[in-house]
Amino acid sequence: MKKITINDVARHAGVSKKTISRVLNQEPNVSSETRKKVEKSFTELGYRPNPQARALASSQSYLIGLLYPSQSNSYVSNIQKGALERCRAEGFHLVIYPEDHENESLISQFESNLNSSNLDGIILTPPFADMRKLLDLLKEREIPVVRVGAISALDSIPSVISNDAEASYEMCRYLISIGHHKIAFIKGHLDHGATEQRLSGYTKALKEAGIPILDQFIQQGNFSFESGEDCARRLLSLKVPPSAIFASNDYMAAGIVKVAKQKGISIPHDLTVTGFDNAPASRYIWPSLTTIKQPITEMAIEATRMLIRIIRKKPLEKLSTTIRNELIVRESSAPAKT
Amino acid sequence: MKKITINDVARHAGVSKKTISRVLNQEPNVSSETRKKVEKSFTELGYRPNPQARALASSQSYLIGLLYPSQSNSYVSNIQKGALERCRAEGFHLVIYPEDHENESLISQFESNLNSSNLDGIILTPPFADMRKLLDLLKEREIPVVRVGAISALDSIPSVISNDAEASYEMCRYLISIGHHKIAFIKGHLDHGATEQRLSGYTKALKEAGIPILDQFIQQGNFSFESGEDCARRLLSLKVPPSAIFASNDYMAAGIVKVAKQKGISIPHDLTVTGFDNAPASRYIWPSLTTIKQPITEMAIEATRMLIRIIRKKPLEKLSTTIRNELIVRESSAPAKT
DNA sequence: GAAATTTATGATAGCGGTGTCAGAACTAGT
DNA sequence: ACTAGTTCTGACACCGCTATCATAAATTTC
């Protein structure tokens, strides 16, 4: 099949290249008559405009980059889902860049990626959304950016965030309301801003309820299953163990469930375990986890929508959007034994 | 920062555009002297070639598409990981296309995606790897394709496959070797070629061991957690229930574990449950699942390597590569009670 | 040391579109 | 009917790089 170019169509329709281009880009000032004629030629010839040529001439690539941590989990797949939904609707394509955020040469590597792709815009997920150097690079390059789940409220860069601190607070309120006051908390990876946020909700709720905050009840995890196991072993061998453990993500919660079961501790009868994120695993394990559902997909949809507006140079309604988390009560939580 | 073009570099280095281009593309016939001079200009000016212009002039986009089912799971993230590793090493970018394989208008939608992106090549995962219409479209468009995990051995299209039937056979051999002969099997989604393959390994192993194949021991699932639960309920309420259930993926196996626990059946003491895929959840649940590890990432790496060779018009060593699965014994399997 | 190769370099024409701007074809106003 | 203001349309330069091919320089050949 021979390639059809804009010149072929112009000849076939008996108009100039530029008019074809006008129809292609839905520009005004084309009589409906010629428009019809041109569109007819499109279908008759099976014309497909060359994206690269348009990109060169218009300096737009219709590519959006998504940067996320490479220790990929369900968070990422939900982000991708949301971003893609918008991209597709708007004629953009999504190019993915998983990166190790602890990699020393991250910036320079990412820069060379940038050089070879000419993205129209970039979506940043945690912890990249808070990396100053990265933001500076992108600013210097004048590449539009939207940040998802960022912590630092940056003056000028648009972002979509969720209310992690509040959700964490709500979870603790729930645990307290069903009679728990020996509540332990497992922190996440220190590089993630969410870690701090989630902890703050915990301390706030306990303080408010007049429950003392005990050092030994706050353990440092790193969002991995294994770190959950480790923390659980420590917590469950305390002289006075907690009656509820709130892990700041579901993988760590799953680790806790495993260790508890191995020790013959019944969940939720003897111990309540809750997580954060509503990862798929939170449904697959037994008992299924009480957790916080993060509207990740929705956040990505909104972020992408904003990004495309910026790319199109349309004004943004607001610089920052918050999307609310939601408590999901399942089987792993029950009233404290009296 | 002003944009530096090839003309600026040419002027700065005192050579012609074409010579710059030669250095850029590592073409031969450039004296090492001028090469050095040009490279010096590159760094001094901070020159970044425009990808779109190169794409237009050379009709190569350096974009590779990845098509996969949108009910995304760990399979996908592993595929992405592998594909990206190669892409990055070779200067390509990965554009992702999750699609619903049951969508009627899949082909036409995907075609419009193709039109707006000009991919250099495409990687197809199951079940797309076996969709005749899609393969025809891509062939007509002369877009290089590599198939991952395809079943049908197509004459001319390169593919990377794993030995699912053998692995399934091996799993059953293992179960038989530890004393099980009441072994049930849960089939996956019928649209996936793997479903048939995995079943064939089961029947082969049982036949070989002289174990009769019972209809009621073969249940139809669809790869989802819920379908695992359903099948488990049916299997566990048989007059003569199985002593081992082999689910053809881990999500279904997790569903079985849940139902069994709810019924107070101890795993692996009273019932052995095994899965397939080595999904993250297989480690997170308790007891952790004995399963088959699919070398998905490796398959994707190999597929991408092959694809890039095709794009570069280099000969392929062989049309089809097989990468071996591996049995992983964990906690959910134990010898049959005598 | 002249002729025949081989290697290095540049002039110029695209690649397939879009942007600019001028001119033609309509409308409307008086 | 004539001018002013819109609405269409096209010629042509240009986006930034690569391909082709001719030519100049260096090397080999005998």
Side-chain angles (χ1 to χ4, degrees), chain B residues 66-78:
Chain B
L66 175 64
L67 183 58
Y68 58 84
S70 48
Q71 329 89 294
S72 175
N73 51 26
S74 67
Y75 183 89
V76 166
S77 73
N78 284 316

Side-chain angles (χ1 to χ4, degrees), chain A residues 48 52 55 80 88 93-99 115-116 118 225-226 251 258 261 283-284 286, chain B residues 48 52 55 80 84 88 93-99 115-116 118 225-226 251 258 261 283-284 286:
Chain A
R48 300 190 302 267
Q52 266 70 36
Q80 290 184 355
R88 181 158 306 188
H93 298 260
L94 191 67
V95 189
I96 56 178
Y97 298 97
E99 296 280 357
N115 289 342
S116 60
N118 239 0
F225 180 76
E226 288 74 15
Y251 300 121
K258 174 170 183 176
K261 290 224 195 120
R283 282 174 48 232
Y284 297 150
W286 193 82
Chain B
R48 302 190 300 268
Q52 267 71 36
Q80 290 185 354
L84 274 157
R88 180 158 306 189
H93 298 259
L94 191 66
V95 189
I96 57 178
Y97 298 97
E99 297 280 358
N115 289 342
S116 61
N118 239 0
F225 181 74
E226 289 74 17
Y251 299 121
K258 174 168 183 179
K261 291 228 195 115
R283 282 175 47 235
Y284 296 150
W286 192 80

Side-chain angles (χ1 to χ4, degrees), chain A residues 1 3 48-53 55-56 59-63 66 68 70 72-73 76-77 80-81 84 88 91-99 109 111-119 140-142 225-226 251 254-255 257-259 261-262 280-281 283-286 288 331, chain B residues 1 3 48-53 55-56 59-63 66 68 70 72-73 76-77 80-81 84 88 91-99 109 111-119 140-142 225-226 251 254-255 257-259 261-262 280-281 283-286 288 331:
Chain A
M1 194 164 67
K3 240 191 296 182
R48 300 190 302 267
N50 179 322
Q52 266 70 36
L56 175 57
S59 50
Q60 249 221 80
S61 65
Y62 288 95
L63 296 178
L66 175 65
Y68 58 84
S70 48
S72 178
N73 52 28
V76 166
S77 72
Q80 290 184 355
K81 200 184 295 177
L84 274 157
R88 181 158 306 188
F92 282 77
H93 298 260
L94 191 67
V95 189
I96 56 178
Y97 298 97
E99 296 280 357
Q109 269 186 31
E111 189 168 4
S112 84
N113 272 331
L114 276 188
N115 289 342
S116 60
S117 64
N118 239 0
L119 303 172
E140 187 196 314
R141 288 294 196 84
E142 299 179 343
F225 180 76
E226 288 74 15
Y251 300 121
V257 168
K258 174 170 183 176
V259 168
K261 290 224 195 120
Q262 285 176 329
R283 282 174 48 232
Y284 297 150
I285 68 172
W286 193 82
S288 57
E331 303 164 334
Chain B
M1 195 165 70
K3 238 189 298 178
R48 302 190 300 268
N50 178 321
Q52 267 71 36
L56 176 58
S59 51
Q60 249 221 82
S61 65
Y62 288 96
L63 296 178
L66 175 64
Y68 58 84
S70 48
S72 175
N73 51 26
V76 166
S77 73
Q80 290 185 354
K81 199 184 295 178
L84 274 157
R88 180 158 306 189
F92 282 77
H93 298 259
L94 191 66
V95 189
I96 57 178
Y97 298 97
E99 297 280 358
Q109 269 186 31
E111 189 167 6
S112 85
N113 271 332
L114 276 188
N115 289 342
S116 61
S117 65
N118 239 0
L119 303 172
E140 187 196 314
R141 286 292 196 86
E142 298 180 344
F225 181 74
E226 289 74 17
Y251 299 121
V257 168
K258 174 168 183 179
V259 168
K261 291 228 195 115
Q262 285 177 328
R283 282 175 47 235
Y284 296 150
I285 69 173
W286 192 80
S288 57
E331 303 163 336

Side-chain angles (χ1 to χ4, degrees), chain A residues 10 36 89 94 101 112 180 203 243 251 319:
Chain A
K36 283 228 182 63
L94 191 67
H101 75 274
S112 84
H180 292 280
T203 54
S243 71
Y251 300 121
L319 212 55

Side-chain angles (χ1 to χ4, degrees), chain A residues 136-151:
Chain A
D136 287 344
L137 169 65
L138 265 12
K139 185 171 190 178
E140 187 196 314
R141 288 294 196 84
E142 299 179 343
I143 298 176
V145 170
V146 172
R147 310 186 302 153
V148 175
I151 299 311

Side-chain angles (χ1 to χ4, degrees), chain A residues 228-230 232-233 236 254-264:
Chain A
E229 291 180 293
D230 293 342
R233 282 193 205 97
L236 296 177
I256 296 166
V257 168
K258 174 170 183 176
V259 168
K261 290 224 195 120
Q262 285 176 329
K263 286 181 179 264

Side-chain angles (χ1 to χ4, degrees), chain A residues 162-328:
Chain A
S162 58
N163 57 340
D164 278 26
E166 271 181 67
S168 179
Y169 171 79
E170 194 186 343
M171 174 67 87
C172 293
R173 294 279 311 159
Y174 160 71
L175 293 174
I176 294 166
S177 77
I178 58 175
H180 292 280
H181 46 263
K182 290 178 294 182
I183 304 173
F185 183 84
I186 300 189
K187 294 195 278 184
H189 198 293
L190 287 173
D191 286 351
H192 286 249
T195 291
E196 199 186 320
Q197 301 253 318
R198 293 175 189 183
L199 177 61
S200 76
Y202 166 82
T203 54
K204 181 178 170 206
L206 265 62
K207 267 187 198 151
E208 235 178 64
I211 301 174
I213 291 167
L214 306 173
D215 273 1
Q216 70 268 31
F217 271 7
I218 300 184
Q219 295 283 330
Q220 180 67 57
N222 66 5
F223 285 145
S224 74
F225 180 76
E226 288 74 15
S227 74
E229 291 180 293
D230 293 342
C231 294
R233 282 193 205 97
R234 287 197 291 274
L235 286 170
L236 296 177
S237 56
L238 290 173
K239 281 150 298 177
V240 184
S243 71
I245 304 179
F246 175 20
S248 58
N249 84 346
D250 290 335
Y251 300 121
M252 297 194 295
I256 296 166
V257 168
K258 174 170 183 176
V259 168
K261 290 224 195 120
Q262 285 176 329
K263 286 181 179 264
I265 297 171
S266 157
I267 297 175
H269 189 254
D270 298 329
L271 176 70
T272 282
V273 176
T274 67
F276 205 119
D277 280 350
N278 192 32
S282 70
R283 282 174 48 232
Y284 297 150
I285 68 172
W286 193 82
S288 57
L289 287 176
T290 290
T291 189
I292 301 285
K293 178 182 174 183
Q294 281 213 84
I296 305 174
T297 303
E298 289 75 14
M299 290 172 72
I301 292 177
E302 174 62 13
T304 311
R305 195 189 63 78
M306 289 166 79
L307 185 56
I308 292 176
R309 279 190 82 89
I310 301 174
I311 292 171
R312 300 233 170 96
K313 302 194 190 309
K314 291 187 186 162
L316 234 46
E317 301 86 348
K318 47 186 172 179
L319 212 55
S320 175
T321 308
T322 303
I323 297 189
R324 301 192 63 77
N325 292 314
E326 182 188 346
L327 174 64
I328 297 184

